[in-house]
Amino acid sequence: LVWTMAASTRPFCPRRSLFLAAFALWIVEGRYVKSRTRTRGAVSPPPQRKSTLIRRRAVVFVPVLGVLSEGLLGTKSRGCADASTSPFSIGDLQQSIFADVIASGMDFYESVVREDKSSAFSSLFSLVEENKKDTQTTPVKLLDVGVGAGPNMNLYKESGLDLRVTGVDPNPYMERYAKQSAEQSEVPFQFQLGDANRLPFPDGSFDVVVSTLVLCSISDPEKALREIERVLKPGGCFFFWEHVKAPPDRPILGFAQTLLSPLQQVYADGCHLDRNTLQIIEQSKLFDSVENVRKLHFNDLTIVAPHVTGVALAKL
């Protein structure tokens, strides 16, 4: 249900229908069944039988309701995640719930990757200091693409650099959580609504661009990389931290990722389990070089255990 509510951007959104189906089924079983059980008393059938009956009816009725809602709640050309022409937007509801889930549901992931992620960011900031000689007098402008709820803010605080962080995200409901994280970490921060394929910034605006768990879900990663390269200053740093397809020496995991990736894309906002992000970055030839590459594997993360991180340097 959580992943269903995380809507993707499609002109016709079957996920919205499935969301409505699941949500309505939850209401029916959680509210209607209890009410009927209380009113009928001892003569009513056992709750388990009644619940099963409700499920069977809902299997037919609720999906029909969801499909009908597609016609009643029209969508814009950019997809159902943007907004509905109806005064009540299911897309807005989905984005709001997704923001809540991301803000409160990533603690386990961050605890698993904390040590390695901190080390990777330390290498990034060391590289920034080497490449930008005047970091002590001039603030470093950093763009966090797909900032989400701001899980990287504490790492920005630990950098020791005078950072000015801008976060861009297509979900407007992430702004509140990202700003809260920035305030708690005492990081100068501003939020900008937008997506990676159309970054709303002039050319050469940033010294550093950061992407953590973003390129896996972008429909056109090559276009996003072109945008990232465009907004970077000459010689700037593009830091990436992404889960990727398993290497050849883990064939079973790789097969499972390939098998489950289409389903993951449906339920996890377009996330690809089998995307080879490092290869995409290297083959784009948009950057002068790719430094500090590390291939990691976190057993506790199962299907998304393989990760890659590194820093791509913009051409001078």
Side-chain angles (χ1 to χ4, degrees), residues 62 75 112 125-126 141 150 153 166 188 204 221 224 244 260-261 275 296 309:
V62 179
T75 58
V112 170
F125 295 129
S126 297
K141 295 182 178 180
M153 295 299 173
T166 299
V244 293
L260 296 175
S261 187
R275 182 166 282 175
L296 307 166
T309 182

Side-chain angles (χ1 to χ4, degrees), residues 244-276:
V244 293
K245 183 177 181 179
D249 60 349
R250 296 180 182 271
I252 297 178
L253 178 57
F255 174 77
Q257 289 177 320
T258 301
L259 186 66
L260 296 175
S261 187
L263 185 63
Q264 177 81 349
Q265 293 169 45
V266 170
Y267 286 98
D269 203 19
C271 175
H272 293 68
L273 293 172
D274 56 350
R275 182 166 282 175
N276 194 333

Side-chain angles (χ1 to χ4, degrees), residues 43-61:
V43 298
S44 62
Q48 181 62 37
R49 288 181 57 193
K50 189 173 299 183
S51 177
T52 302
L53 179 61
I54 293 296
R55 282 196 190 96
R56 290 173 181 173
R57 291 175 179 174
V59 164
V60 177
F61 172 72

Side-chain angles (χ1 to χ4, degrees), residues 67-100:
V67 172
L68 288 176
S69 72
E70 295 292 342
L72 298 175
L73 301 174
T75 58
K76 293 183 177 180
S77 60
R78 286 185 58 195
C80 66
D82 286 341
S84 163
T85 56
S86 165
F88 175 73
S89 172
I90 295 296
D92 287 344
L93 175 62
Q94 290 168 322
Q95 285 189 310
S96 175
I97 295 175
F98 185 55
D100 293 340

Side-chain angles (χ1 to χ4, degrees), residues 166-235:
T166 299
V168 62
D169 201 282
N171 188 334
Y173 297 98
M174 293 294 186
E175 180 176 4
R176 175 167 62 97
Y177 297 111
K179 286 184 174 179
Q180 286 177 355
S181 297
E183 290 175 3
Q184 292 172 1
S185 300
E186 300 178 343
V187 174
F189 174 76
Q190 63 177 358
F191 182 90
Q192 177 68 51
L193 191 65
D195 65 78
N197 286 335
R198 293 178 296 273
L199 293 175
F201 308 104
D203 296 358
S205 298
F206 298 96
D207 302 293
V208 182
V209 175
V210 170
S211 165
T212 56
L213 303 182
V214 172
L215 293 176
C216 62
S217 59
I218 294 175
S219 59
D220 189 348
E222 290 83 1
K223 184 176 181 180
L225 290 174
R226 288 194 295 271
E227 281 291 280
I228 289 171
E229 189 272 339
R230 180 183 65 79
V231 301
L232 270 176
K233 294 180 180 180

Side-chain angles (χ1 to χ4, degrees), residues 5-24:
M5 290 186 288
S8 182
T9 54
R10 300 286 193 279
F12 175 80
C13 191
R15 264 161 288 190
R16 175 186 293 174
S17 298
L18 191 56
F19 159 70
L20 288 175
F23 189 65

